[in-house]
Every structure is written in structure tokens, then in C-alpha cells.
Amino acid sequence: MKFSRTLPGIATAMALALATSAFAADEYNVNNGLTLAGHPLGLHGVDPVSMFQGGKPGQGNAAFTSAHDGIDYYFSSAEAQSKFDADPSAYLPQFGGFCAFGVFVGKKLDGDVRYADIVDGKLYLFVNAAIFEKYLEDKDAVIKGAEAKWPEIVNTPISAL
């Protein structure tokens, strides 16, 4: 008798826990699927530390993986991984890795490492060359606007924007 009363409660608790996880995933721009550790992959597998070293972004390697806030990041070396682990916020892209211009207009668009800018030590990604050029017309307005908009949409599912 106890079992029949407990089962619906357990089912409800599980459904709520899974729903929360699904919504949390929309706070970060991640690849479809999971890494071997069971987490989503951030920054399309690109080494976030490499984004701050000038030149072309470096592809990460699953042998050097760190998790931050439930997202896995790959690094090109143990040294890069160690730098990230010491201060993840110094290397993570702003707005969960979504396009900064997209956030500015209230959308969560894919952030592409080929279209990136570092302003005041912060990494901003953009969806494509055309949007990146639009951003360059008034960087400050886009960044300030995106920073103002992000708290409103951070927990909103992508499909609802």
C-alpha cells in the first residue's frame, strides 16, 4: 500500500529534476550529444585557453577535459587545462557561448569561434561574418545591450525565444 502512494511522488520528483536539467542546458551553447563523461561539450570542442593566445583557435583533445558547471571543455594540452582549472571564468565565453549580437537582440544563436573578439579580457562569440561586421560598427552598444538582456533570457529555453 505504501508503494502505490510513494511511486507517484517519486515519478513527480524525477520529472521535475529532469525538467530542471533540460532548462539549465539552454544556459550554455553546447554540442548535441554528450562527452564520455556524460556532460554536454562546450565551445564546440575548441580549447578556450587558445582563444586568448592570438592566432587561430586550437582544437581541444578529449584527453584533456575539464568540467565546469556541468559542461565539459577540451584542451590542447595539460598546461592549457591547468590554466583553465585555476580560473575558468577568465577563459569562458560570455553569454554561455551564445552569439553576443544574438543576445543583444534577445536570441540565443550559435557562437562560432571563427568570429570572436576579446574586449577587456572577456571573450565574445558571434554567429557569422555578417553579424560580426555588424557588431564591429558599435562594439560598446552591442556588449552593453547584451549584458542588459542576458539576465532576462539566460534561463529561457532556446525554443521560447
Side-chain angles (χ1 to χ4, degrees), residues 6-22:
T6 308
L7 188 58
I10 292 171
T12 300
M14 287 179 63
L16 288 173
L18 292 173
T20 302
S21 297

Side-chain angles (χ1 to χ4, degrees), residues 60-77:
N61 182 327
F64 308 108
T65 302
S66 288
H68 177 75
D69 206 14
I71 309 297
D72 278 348
Y73 295 92
Y74 290 168
F75 301 90
S76 57
S77 68

Side-chain angles (χ1 to χ4, degrees), residues 14 17 23 26 30 34 36 46 49-51 53 57 60 70 73 89 96 100 107 110 129 134 146 151 153:
M14 287 179 63
F23 288 119
D26 282 344
V30 296
L34 302 175
L36 290 175
V46 169
V49 174
S50 74
M51 299 294 294
Q53 296 174 337
Y73 295 92
S89 63
K107 301 288 183 187
D110 188 26
K134 188 77 176 154
I153 69 171

Side-chain angles (χ1 to χ4, degrees), residues 43 48-52 80 83-85 87-93 121 123:
L43 212 55
V49 174
S50 74
M51 299 294 294
F52 290 84
K83 286 181 180 181
F84 178 86
D85 289 344
D87 188 7
S89 63
Y91 299 102
L92 290 172
L123 175 61

